[in-house]
Amino acid sequence: MKKIIGYLSFFLLFTLIVVMGMATWQEHLKGTQYAMNEIYNTTWFNLLWVSVSVLSTYYIWANKLYRKLPAFMLHLSLIVILTGALITRFNGKTGMIHLRENIENRTFFCEEDQDYIHLPFSLLLNSFQIEYYPGTTSPSNYISIIEIKDKSGNTSLEKEISMNNILKHEGYRFYQSSFDPDMKGSILSINYDSTGIIFTYTGYFLLFFSMLWIFFDSKGRFTELVKKTTKNKFASILIICLFSFFPVHAETTNSLLSKDGATVNREQSNRFAKLKVYYNGRICPLQTLAIDFTTKLTGKPKYKYANAEQVLLGWIFFPEKWQHVPLFDIRNEELKNIINNSGKACFSDFFNSKDQSYKLAPYHVQIYGSEQKSALIKEAAKLDEKIQLIAMIQNGELLQMFPFETSEKLLRWYTPTEQFPENISKQEILFAQNFFSLYYEYIRDNNINDTNILLDKLTVFQNSKTQDIFSESHFKAELILNKINIFSLLFKINLTIGCIAILFFISGVVRNQNTERIQHAFYYILMLMFIVLTIALALRGYVAGRLPMSNGYETMLFIAWCTLSIGVLSRKYSFLITCFSFLLSGFVLLVAHIGSTNPQITPLVPVLQSPLLSIHVSLIMISYGLCGFMLLNSLTAFILLGIAPRKRQTKINTSKLKELNELFMYPATFFLGAGIFVGAIWANVSWGRYWGWDPKEVWALITFLLMSFTFHGKTLEFFKKPVIYHLFILIIFASVLMTYFGVNFVLGGKHSYGG
C-alpha cells in the first residue's frame, strides 16, 4: 500500500509537470489570460496540487521519514510552502485601484473576484509627480502622495508611494504601478495576503535550512557520495589551455583625429582618461564614465577600433558622424518596422526625418508606467535608455568636471552648461564654459600644442580645487583597475581551469589512476586565484573608500571570494571541492560580468537595484552550470556504452559517473531551489506577489521538480540503474535549455530577453 501511494504521488507530480509545460505553450498561443483562466486558476489544477501534498504527507509519515530530520524538514518545508500558496489562492486578494486627484476612493478591482471590493478605509490622491533623469524626458521615478482616511473620515494620514516605497496599511500593501497621461491620476496595485505570506516565508526558511543541513549531515547520502568519489585516484595528462592576449598598439599619426576623423586619436583619448569627473556620487577618472557609457551602448568597453574614451569623445565632439553609426541591435519585428525596418539602427533612425519627433515618445507611458510589459515595450525601454543617455552626454549633463566652491563653502562639481556660483571669477567661468568648444577648435585645426596645454590647465585646475579632499593614490588605483579589468579576466580563467579539473575528475573515475601531483598543481593555482581576487577586491575597496559589498555586482564578487576561500581551506577534504571552487567562483564572476555589461549610468528603476535580484540570478546560473557538467558526465557514459557496451569495466565506469552525477545533483538542486525562492521573495517585496505563473518561473519550477525525482531511488527504483539515471539527466538538461533559451526566445513572458 505504501509503495502504491508513493508511485501515485510521483505520477501526480509528473502529471503536474506535464500540465504546467503545456500551459506555457497555451499561454504563448492564446495569451496569458487564457492560461490563467483555463489552467492555473482552475479548481482541478489546485486539487492536483492538494492531492500531491496530501499523498506525499501520508507517504512521508508512513515511511517514518521523521527519523531522518534533514530530509523530513526538507519535505515539510515544501508542504508549508504549498499550504501558504493554497491560503494565498483562496484568502489572498490582488487588484488595482485608480485614483484621481482630490477624489476619494474606497473600492478596488479584485482580480480573483473580477469585481469591485470595498476597502475598510478610503484613499485620496493629493498629488502625483514624476522625477526625470537630469536633462532628459525619461522618468526615473513616479510618486503618489496619498491621504488615508478611516471610515468615519475623522482620522487621516498622508503617505508617499513611489517605485521604491511601498505603502502598508491594515494588512493591505499598495505599490505604484502606473499613471494617467494627464498626470492627474495614479494607478496602484494592491495585495492582501498576510497569512499566506507568513506560511510561505516560513516554508522558505525551512527549505534553506534543511538544504544546508543535508550538505553537512555526516550520515546523509551526500557525505556518503563524497567519501566514495574521493577514494578514486586521478589520472590524465594536463590539458594546456592558452589564453591569447593581443596588445592594442597606439595610433601612429601626426593628426589629433583618428583615421576616420570621427573622434580623437588614442594619445589624446588617453590624456582625457586621466581627467577627473564627478560621477555616480564620487570623484573618478573620466575613463570610468567612458567605460560605462560605451558598455551601456555596445555591451563592450570599446567599439571596433575605438576605445571607451574615443567613443565618448566622438559623441561629444563629432555627433554628426556618430549619429549614423549602427550601434543598436533591434530584434523585435514590430519595433523594427517602427524604427527603420532593419535589425541594426543608428541614433538618427529614432527621429522622424520630417519633424525630428522622437519615435519612442508615444510609448513612454507604457515603458515607465506599467508593470506588465510586452516584448516590444521591454525592448523599447532598453533602447530608450540608451538614446536618453546619448542626449545627456550631448547636453553635457554627465560632464561634471568643473569643481567650484559654492556660497555655502561647499565644493560642488558643475557641468559646462550650468549656472555657476556668483562668487566665482569671470576668468574661471569662461574657462569652464568654453573648455569643450576651445578643444574642438584646436583638434579641428590640428593644433597639438594648444590641445595639450588646455588639458594640462584643466588638470591643474581640478587638482588645485581637490588637493585637500581627494587622494591621488585612489585615483591611480582606479585607473589600474579599469586597465586590467581583472574580474572579467578571472571568470574566464576560473571557468577554464574548473572545466579542466572536472575532466581530471571524470578521467580519474574512468581510469582509476593516481595523479596527486597534478591535484597539488590545481590547488596551488586555486591559491593564486584566491590571492589575486583578494588583492583586486582590496583595491576596489580602497578606491571606493568602503567595504566592496554595497551593491549586487560587489555582492557577487564577494560570493566568488567566499567560494575560493572555502576551496583553499577545505583542500584536504576532497579534490572535488577544488573543482567546485573554480567552477562556482567562475560562474558567479560570469554573472557579475554579464551584469556589468549593463552599467548603472542613469539610475535604474529602484526595484532592479535589489541585491536579492543579483543573488537570485547568480544562484540559478550556478545550478545551470552544474547541470551542464552532469550532462557531460552522462554523455561520457553513453559514449562508453556505445564503444564497449559489454565490457565489465564499462559498467563500472558508468556506475561511477552516475555516482558523480548524484553528487553534483545535490548542489545543483540546492542552488536552483534557493534561486527560485530568493526570486520569489524579491518579487513579493517588489511587486506584491511572489508567484505569477510566468513561463520562466514555471519552467524553472519544472526543472526543480524533475531534479527532485532523482533523490527518491528507494521508491523509484529504476533510478538505481545507471542508464536510466543518465537518460533522465538528458531530460533535466532539456528542461534547463527550455528554461533559459526556449522561454527567452520562443515563449516570452516578463523574464524574456528575446524580441
Side-chain angles (χ1 to χ4, degrees):
M1 181 64 181
K2 287 191 297 183
K3 279 205 170 186
I4 294 175
I5 295 295
Y7 285 132
L8 184 58
S9 299
F10 284 107
F11 173 76
L12 291 178
L13 187 59
F14 186 76
T15 302
L16 264 173
I17 290 172
V18 173
V19 168
M20 288 190 292
M22 292 176 61
T24 60
W25 283 103
Q26 289 297 308
E27 180 176 354
H28 173 65
L29 296 172
K30 300 181 181 180
T32 301
Q33 200 58 48
Y34 177 87
M36 297 300 295
N37 293 339
E38 300 299 322
I39 300 175
Y40 297 129
N41 289 338
T42 58
T43 301
W44 64 265
F45 185 73
N46 291 310
L47 285 175
L48 199 54
W49 277 108
V50 171
S51 300
V52 170
S53 301
V54 172
L55 290 175
S56 299
T57 303
Y58 171 80
Y59 188 67
I60 289 168
W61 191 261
N63 282 276
K64 300 179 180 179
L65 194 63
Y66 49 81
R67 293 179 178 177
K68 299 178 180 179
L69 284 178
F72 177 71
M73 186 176 290
L74 176 66
H75 289 80
L76 177 64
S77 69
L78 297 174
I79 299 298
V80 173
I81 290 171
L82 288 174
T83 303
L86 191 66
I87 293 172
T88 298
R89 171 70 180 87
F90 293 102
N91 187 56
K93 300 293 182 184
T94 58
M96 307 292 289
I97 184 169
H98 185 199
L99 302 177
R100 295 288 293 178
E101 283 189 3
N102 302 318
I103 300 176
E104 283 191 39
N105 191 353
R106 62 170 60 249
T107 61
F108 72 97
F109 183 77
C110 179
E111 295 177 1
E112 288 77 15
D113 299 333
Q114 291 293 299
D115 198 3
Y116 285 91
I117 292 180
H118 285 277
L119 292 166
F121 49 86
S122 65
L123 300 177
L124 175 69
L125 177 65
N126 288 337
S127 65
F128 176 81
Q129 63 189 52
I130 298 180
E131 294 179 352
Y132 294 92
Y133 295 133
T136 76
T137 59
S138 180
S140 62
N141 198 3
Y142 40 88
I143 302 168
S144 298
I145 306 299
I146 304 293
E147 186 176 344
I148 306 172
K149 295 184 178 182
D150 62 13
K151 288 183 179 180
S152 63
N154 297 324
T155 305
S156 65
L157 298 170
E158 188 173 84
K159 297 288 184 178
E160 178 182 297
I161 305 174
S162 61
M163 294 170 71
N164 61 345
N165 184 30
I166 300 168
L167 170 62
K168 298 178 182 179
H169 189 72
E170 294 188 16
Y172 289 87
R173 293 182 296 164
F174 298 87
Y175 303 78
Q176 185 68 58
S177 178
S178 187
F179 58 92
D180 293 340
D182 63 358
M183 307 279 288
K184 299 294 184 181
S186 179
I187 299 173
L188 308 177
S189 60
I190 299 178
N191 180 276
Y192 183 81
D193 182 33
S194 55
T195 307
I197 289 174
I198 291 172
F199 269 85
T200 303
Y201 276 22
T202 301
Y204 291 165
F205 173 78
L206 290 174
L207 180 72
F208 297 145
F209 182 77
S210 60
M211 283 180 167
L212 288 173
W213 194 352
I214 285 172
F215 274 111
F216 294 100
D217 182 16
S218 59
K219 298 179 181 179
R221 175 64 174 165
F222 179 73
T223 304
E224 178 188 342
L225 287 167
V226 169
K227 290 178 180 178
K228 271 189 177 184
T229 54
T230 52
K231 287 179 181 178
N232 296 304
K233 305 301 179 183
F234 302 88
S236 192
I237 300 172
L238 180 62
I239 301 171
I240 300 174
C241 186
L242 298 176
F243 289 91
S244 300
F245 301 95
F246 300 94
V248 179
H249 299 286
E251 297 172 20
T252 56
T253 175
N254 292 325
S255 172
L256 287 170
L257 299 178
S258 60
K259 292 178 181 179
D260 61 1
T263 186
V264 300
N265 64 24
R266 188 62 59 90
E267 181 184 351
Q268 285 293 306
S269 70
N270 289 340
R271 290 176 68 89
F272 250 101
K274 297 175 183 177
L275 293 173
K276 296 180 177 67
V277 64
Y278 188 78
Y279 167 59
N280 266 351
R282 64 186 185 89
I283 304 169
C284 64
L286 185 74
Q287 182 186 64
T288 300
L289 170 60
I291 290 172
D292 282 3
F293 174 81
T294 306
T295 305
K296 190 77 171 181
L297 294 185
T298 67
K300 297 179 181 180
K302 63 179 182 178
Y303 178 74
K304 293 184 177 178
Y305 70 87
N307 63 22
E309 300 91 291
Q310 288 178 301
V311 174
L312 177 69
L313 295 173
W315 277 106
I316 293 173
F317 296 116
F318 305 98
E320 70 282 355
K321 293 187 177 182
W322 281 87
Q323 68 176 339
H324 299 297
V325 176
L327 294 174
F328 312 109
D329 293 316
I330 302 178
R331 299 170 61 184
N332 184 275
E333 292 298 327
E334 189 177 350
L335 195 57
K336 287 179 185 179
N337 296 331
I338 294 170
I339 304 302
N340 66 355
N341 294 313
S342 171
K344 278 286 193 180
C346 53
F347 182 82
S348 60
D349 290 329
F350 289 84
F351 299 87
N352 290 303
S353 56
K354 293 182 179 179
D355 56 4
Q356 287 300 298
S357 59
Y358 183 39
K359 294 179 181 179
L360 295 182
Y363 301 98
H364 269 178
V365 171
Q366 292 170 274
I367 289 173
Y368 298 103
S370 175
E371 177 186 339
Q372 301 287 341
K373 293 181 174 65
S374 64
L376 182 149
I377 297 301
K378 289 178 188 176
E379 188 167 351
K382 295 176 183 177
L383 291 168
D384 179 73
E385 187 179 12
K386 296 177 182 181
I387 298 300
Q388 299 293 346
L389 176 60
I390 291 173
M392 292 172 72
I393 283 293
Q394 292 184 329
N395 293 334
E397 297 294 336
L398 290 178
L399 302 175
Q400 293 179 270
M401 299 174 64
F402 303 96
F404 291 112
E405 193 175 79
T406 65
S407 56
E408 292 82 14
K409 303 297 181 182
L410 298 173
L411 189 70
R412 182 189 162 194
W413 291 70
Y414 291 82
T415 69
T417 57
E418 280 188 275
Q419 183 70 37
F420 295 102
E422 295 180 357
N423 58 315
I424 303 302
S425 68
K426 289 184 178 180
Q427 185 178 358
E428 288 182 327
I429 291 175
L430 287 173
F431 175 73
Q433 289 177 335
N434 297 302
F435 172 82
F436 285 99
S437 59
L438 276 173
Y439 185 83
Y440 177 72
E441 288 181 16
Y442 293 154
I443 58 174
R444 184 189 61 192
D445 299 336
N446 200 35
N447 193 333
I448 297 176
N449 187 52
D450 284 346
T451 56
N452 292 338
I453 290 174
L454 189 63
L455 291 175
D456 289 340
K457 280 185 178 180
L458 181 54
T459 301
V460 171
F461 173 74
Q462 290 181 334
N463 291 342
S464 67
K465 299 290 186 179
T466 60
Q467 59 185 357
D468 296 331
I469 61 170
F470 184 73
S471 169
E472 285 296 326
S473 60
H474 286 74
F475 191 80
K476 292 176 181 177
E478 185 161 357
L479 288 171
I480 292 171
L481 271 179
N482 288 340
K483 185 176 182 180
I484 298 175
N485 198 14
I486 187 65
F487 300 114
S488 296
L489 182 62
L490 278 177
F491 95 74
K492 298 171 186 175
I493 294 174
N494 285 7
L495 280 179
T496 302
I497 297 175
C499 290
I500 295 171
I502 286 294
L503 289 176
F504 270 103
F505 191 87
I506 295 172
S507 179
V509 171
V510 173
R511 292 188 166 187
N512 196 31
Q513 294 181 6
N514 187 347
T515 55
E516 286 190 12
R517 290 185 180 180
I518 298 177
Q519 291 183 35
H520 285 306
F522 277 115
Y523 175 72
Y524 292 133
I525 296 172
L526 183 72
M527 277 285 294
L528 178 62
M529 294 301 103
F530 173 73
I531 293 170
V532 170
L533 183 57
T534 301
I535 293 172
L537 278 174
L539 194 61
R540 185 178 177 92
Y542 178 69
V543 168
R546 54 170 172 75
L547 288 175
M549 290 184 290
S550 66
N551 54 47
Y553 177 74
E554 291 178 344
T555 300
M556 284 185 282
L557 297 182
F558 181 71
I559 292 172
W561 182 86
C562 291
T563 303
L564 288 176
S565 65
I566 290 171
V568 170
L569 296 173
S570 308
R571 172 217 174 182
K572 294 182 179 179
Y573 182 67
S574 170
F575 175 66
L576 188 64
I577 293 180
T578 300
C579 302
F580 273 133
S581 295
F582 278 120
L583 289 173
L584 300 187
S585 63
F587 278 118
V588 173
L589 290 170
L590 171 60
V591 175
H593 170 74
I594 292 171
S596 71
T597 61
N598 187 31
Q600 183 187 337
I601 297 182
T602 55
L604 296 175
V605 175
V607 69
L608 299 181
Q609 299 178 27
S610 171
L612 288 175
L613 178 60
S614 299
I615 295 170
H616 159 69
V617 173
S618 62
L619 289 173
I620 289 180
M621 286 289 288
I622 290 169
S623 176
Y624 291 168
L626 290 171
C627 287
F629 289 106
M630 287 191 287
L631 174 72
L632 180 64
N633 283 348
S634 294
L635 290 177
T636 303
F638 285 120
I639 290 171
L640 292 174
L641 288 170
I643 295 172
R646 296 183 180 180
K647 280 190 176 182
R648 180 175 175 274
Q649 190 61 39
T650 297
K651 293 182 179 179
I652 294 173
N653 289 334
T654 53
S655 295
K656 288 181 178 179
L657 287 170
K658 172 186 175 289
E659 289 180 350
L660 184 58
N661 272 354
E662 285 186 74
L663 184 65
F664 284 172
M665 187 63 74
Y666 278 88
T669 307
F670 169 77
F671 284 119
L672 180 58
I676 290 171
F677 294 113
V678 167
I681 293 170
W682 168 73
N684 189 50
V685 170
S686 303
W687 305 117
R689 59 181 73 187
Y690 43 81
W691 196 261
W693 296 108
D694 181 77
K696 201 168 190 79
E697 294 175 345
V698 172
W699 275 100
L701 178 61
I702 287 173
T703 306
F704 179 72
L705 293 176
L706 286 173
M707 287 179 169
S708 70
F709 277 66
T710 63
F711 296 100
H712 297 85
K714 289 185 178 179
T715 303
L716 306 176
E717 295 181 351
F718 49 80
F719 277 124
K720 293 180 181 179
K721 298 179 180 180
V723 173
I724 300 297
Y725 194 95
H726 290 305
L727 279 172
F728 201 73
I729 293 296
L730 301 185
I731 296 173
I732 290 173
F733 194 75
S735 180
V736 170
L737 292 177
M738 188 63 195
T739 307
Y740 194 75
F741 295 104
V743 173
N744 288 349
F745 302 108
V746 179
L747 297 181
K750 292 184 220 175
H751 294 75
S752 173
Y753 309 122

